[in-house]
């Protein structure tokens, strides 16, 4: 992945954890920064290497990664050693590339490069996808990093950091923006009702347990209208197939969809978790959703991610403990019989969309580079 050295513009180093939620926003910013003529590099861990064919092309640097939070206490010394090694790698990388700015997108691999850059006097910008500032990001912000947020009122942002904070939204993949151009497929009484369910790898079994049973409790005429697309874990595949077969509802079931944005656009209703990327994509697509935040998260970040969308009427948030067969069956019955509820939710979700989040984040990064260059020029005079 060689990229021609740009002699007129500075290097930009992006640091992101090895998940799509971290790497896709980084990729969107990379595309914008490259358009401005900058040379962009990415630092990630071994997990991130599996996404390289899905993100913007750029030089990639693999770093070690670990966290001191959670896990078995007896492994703490080993995790500390890995963190120190990652920091040494990051210092070497920053000294080698001399980036004008390091932009961190969260995840363990983003912490070391951002900290190294701060210690070496480089500009650092943190993009927080969630509505709760992550613990590592709080440390970086206390040390002077600038902050870009996805949601308004992000929790955990100190008063001293607020002056260095901008709300920009969450940059999304090109295929999401492309799908969003089609708009929401408004429902009418003669059209099949498209229901999409996906939950990711963490706790998706609750959907496999609850959704088929809830659909089974619907009146026969409503079941006949349903077209279900359900993403399930491989371990739940046989059980889910049997459950849908038992109730006689058309269902397409897979453990992975590589065209999820277009499926979200076609859906009249989505049932899903509340990850930051998912919430932003739902808004962009105007897709009404029943959202069940992942329980047990340290900061309850998914519940906070969904809060604004829920309060504005673009989604229905329900705690997992209340996501019962009876509740869901009643809610599906209500929504399928009241078309205007879904159409109104779509419009309200769209009102929160920020399709230009990548441009907003790019402008913030460029302004920091410009101010740093001006300050350096003034020092030399």
């Amino acid at each position: 992945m060689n990229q021609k050295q740009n002699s007129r513009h500075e290097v930009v180093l992006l640091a992101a954890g090895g998940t799509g939620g971290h790497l896709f926003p980084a990729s969107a910013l990379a595309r914008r920064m490259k358009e401005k003529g900058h040379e962009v590099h990415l630092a990630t861990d071994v997990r991130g290497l599996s996404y390289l064919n899905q993100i913007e092309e750029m030089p990639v640097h693999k770093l070690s990664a670990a966290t001191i939070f959670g896990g078995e206490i007896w492994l703490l010394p080993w995790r500390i050693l890995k963190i120190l090694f990652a920091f040494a790698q990051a210092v070497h990388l920053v000294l080698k590339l001399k980036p004008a700015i390091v932009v961190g997108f969260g995840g363990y691999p983003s912490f070391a490069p951002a900290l190294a850059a701060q210690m070496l006097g480089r500009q650092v910008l943190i993009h927080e996808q969630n509505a709760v500032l992550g613990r590592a990001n709080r440390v970086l912000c206390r040390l002077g990093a600038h902050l870009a947020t996805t949601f308004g009122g992000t929790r955990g942002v100190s008063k001293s950091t607020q002056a260095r904070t901008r709300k920009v939204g969450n940059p999304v993949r090109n295929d999401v923006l492309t799908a969003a151009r089609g708009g929401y497929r408004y429902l009418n009484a003669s059209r099949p009702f498209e229901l999409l369910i996906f939950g990711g790898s963490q706790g998706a079994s609750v959907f496999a347990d609850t959704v088929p049973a809830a659909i089974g409790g619907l009146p026969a005429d409503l079941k006949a209208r349903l077209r279900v697309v359900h993403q399930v874990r491989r371990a739940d595949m046989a059980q889910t197939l049997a459950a849908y077969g038992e109730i006689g509802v058309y269902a397409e079931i897979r453990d992975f969809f590589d065209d999820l944005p277009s499926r979200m656009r076609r859906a009249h209703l989505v049932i899903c978790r509340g990850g930051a990327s998912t919430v932003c994509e739902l808004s962009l697509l105007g897709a009404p959703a029943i959202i069940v935040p992942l329980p047990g998260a340290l900061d309850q970040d998914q519940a906070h991610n969904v809060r604004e969308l829920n309060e504005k009427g673009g989604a229905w948030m329900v705690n997992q403990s209340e996501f019962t067969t009876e509740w869901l069956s009643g809610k599906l019955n209500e929504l399928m019989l009241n078309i205007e509820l879904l159409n109104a939710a779509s419009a309200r979700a769209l009102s929160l969309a920020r399709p230009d989040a990548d441009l907003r984040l790019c402008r913030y990064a460029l302004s920091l580079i410009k101010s740093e260059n001006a300050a350096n020029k003034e020092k030399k005079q």
Side-chain angles (χ1 to χ4, degrees), residues 180-239:
R181 297 188 192 118
Y184 179 59
R185 296 174 68 230
Y186 287 105
L187 184 65
N188 60 53
S190 63
R191 178 177 288 174
F193 189 101
E194 307 279 351
L195 177 65
L196 171 66
I197 306 105
F198 61 92
S201 61
Q202 298 188 80
S205 291
V206 67
F207 296 150
D209 294 338
T210 304
V211 177
I215 291 173
L218 293 174
D221 61 328
L222 295 185
K223 283 195 288 186
R225 288 183 59 202
L226 270 171
R227 297 291 182 272
V228 178
V229 175
H230 194 151
Q231 179 189 18
V232 300
R233 295 191 303 179
R234 196 172 293 248
D236 299 323
M237 186 75 72
Q239 168 202 332

Side-chain angles (χ1 to χ4, degrees), residues 42-49 60-64 85 89 93:
L42 172 67
T44 187
D45 63 0
V46 66
R47 298 173 305 157
L49 302 183
V60 176
H61 308 270
K62 187 183 77 171
L63 300 182
S64 179
F85 180 62
Q89 288 179 303
L93 183 61

Side-chain angles (χ1 to χ4, degrees), residues 20-30 105 127 129 170-172 277 358 361:
H22 297 125
L23 286 166
F24 291 139
S27 175
L29 178 62
F105 287 86
H127 181 263
Q129 287 92 44
N170 194 30
V172 299
S277 294
D358 57 343
L361 183 58

